[in-house]
Amino acid sequence: MNTATTVLVDSSNITQLLRDNDITPTQQRVEIAQLILARHQHFSADELLNQLGHCNVSKATVYNTLGLFVEKGLVRPVIIDPNKVFYDSNIHEHHHFYNVDTGILTDIPCDKLALDYFPPLPEGTQAEGVDIIIRIRNRV
Amino acid sequence: MNTATTVLVDSSNITQLLRDNDITPTQQRVEIAQLILARHQHFSADELLNQLGHCNVSKATVYNTLGLFVEKGLVRPVIIDPNKVFYDSNIHEHHHFYNVDTGILTDIPCDKLALDYFPPLPEGTQAEGVDIIIRIRNRV
DNA sequence: GTCAGTGCAAACCCTTTGCAGAAAG
DNA sequence: CTTTCTGCAAAGGGTTTGCACTGAC
C-alpha cells in the first residue's frame, strides 16, 4: 500500500510541502504537519496539543503554527461551537454534519452538495466561500 | 403605523409572549426581550450588555437570559467567529452573509435559498437544521 | 412564605502577548 | 551572523459559577 496519504507522512516530503507553501520547515512545524496531514481529520488546537504531548512543542507554537497553516491554506478553520474552533485538514470544498448531541463534526460524503441558487451579494463585495452545516441529532 | 413589530415592543405583549413560551416574565427578561425582539437583528452578549448599559441588568443575567431564550426558541445562536456568538432574533429559516473584512453578519435576502440535494444522514440521526454561511469580502 | 431569578466578583478556559534564548539559512 | 521561531509564563477577554439578596406569585 503506497497511497498519497502514506507518501504524505514521509518527513522529507512534508519538509518539501512546507517549503512549497512558503513555510520555513522548522522541527515543530514538520512534527505538526505530519500529524494533521496524515489523513483528513477535524481537531481543535487543544486536541493537537495533547497529541503532541510528549514532544517539545509549546502551546504558543501550536497556536502560531495553526494560524500560519490557515493563512497558507494547509488547513481550514471551521467554527461551529462557541469557544471551539475546529481545524479541518481537508481543504477541498466540502461541507459538514454537526451532531449537536455528541459535538462530533463529520464531512458530508457528497462533493456535489451545492446551493440551488446563488444570491446576489451585497454591493462592493465578492464571494470568499460557502460553509454549509447540517445540524443533526441522535434519533430517539 | 401599527405593524406587528410595534405591537411586539409593547411591554404587556412582551410579558404575554414570555408566558406563552414558559418563561417567567421578570423585569430584566422583559427589558431584554423588548430590546432584541423589537426588530430582526444580530448581536452578541456583549453588545446587548452595552445596550442595557444604564439599566440594572447584570452580565450574568444577560448570559442566563440569552441561554434561556435560545432554549425556548426566541432567538437563535449563530456561530461564525471564534470567541463570538451572535444571536439572531429572526428565528425563521434563513441564512447569512458574513463579511470577513468587517465581521458584519447580514441575512441573505432570499428565503428560497436551499440545497440542491439533501444528503443521506449518518445512521441513527435526524436533521436538526441547516446553516448556510456565504463568506464575502470587500472588493478591492 | 417559597422558590426562582438576579447581582456581584471571582474563577475558568481558551487564546494571545512579550521577551529572552534557540534554531534556520 | 542575522532573522525568524520557540518556550515560558503572564495577561487578556468572553463566559460561567457560587452564594447571598431580591422579586415573582
Side-chain angles (χ1 to χ4, degrees), chain B residues 40-128:
Chain B
H40 288 165
Q41 60 191 300
H42 304 111
F43 57 92
S44 62
D46 196 54
E47 285 162 7
L48 179 55
L49 192 55
N50 288 336
Q51 278 185 53
L52 290 163
H54 47 90
C55 307
N56 50 334
V57 182
S58 75
K59 204 192 295 192
T61 299
V62 166
Y63 281 100
N64 283 340
T65 303
L66 284 175
L68 183 66
F69 283 10
V70 167
E71 184 190 320
K72 299 299 188 181
L74 265 63
V75 295
R76 186 161 83 98
V78 186
I79 303 153
I80 291 181
D81 219 336
N83 300 325
K84 179 162 265 181
V85 184
F86 291 95
Y87 294 90
D88 192 336
S89 62
N90 178 3
I91 55 170
H92 300 109
E93 177 91 359
H94 71 285
H95 304 288
H96 298 99
F97 288 120
Y98 179 65
N99 189 316
V100 298
D101 288 325
T102 62
I104 293 174
L105 193 64
T106 47
D107 286 359
I108 292 181
C110 170
D111 52 3
K112 295 191 205 67
L113 188 66
L115 303 180
D116 62 347
Y117 166 72
F118 204 82
L121 303 181
E123 194 85 17
T125 65
Q126 59 188 54
E128 168 86 359

Side-chain angles (χ1 to χ4, degrees), chain B residues 1-10 13 37-39:
Chain B
M1 152 170 156
N2 188 16
T3 66
T5 298
T6 57
V7 169
L8 262 186
V9 299
D10 176 300
N13 280 307
L37 300 179
R39 59 190 171 76

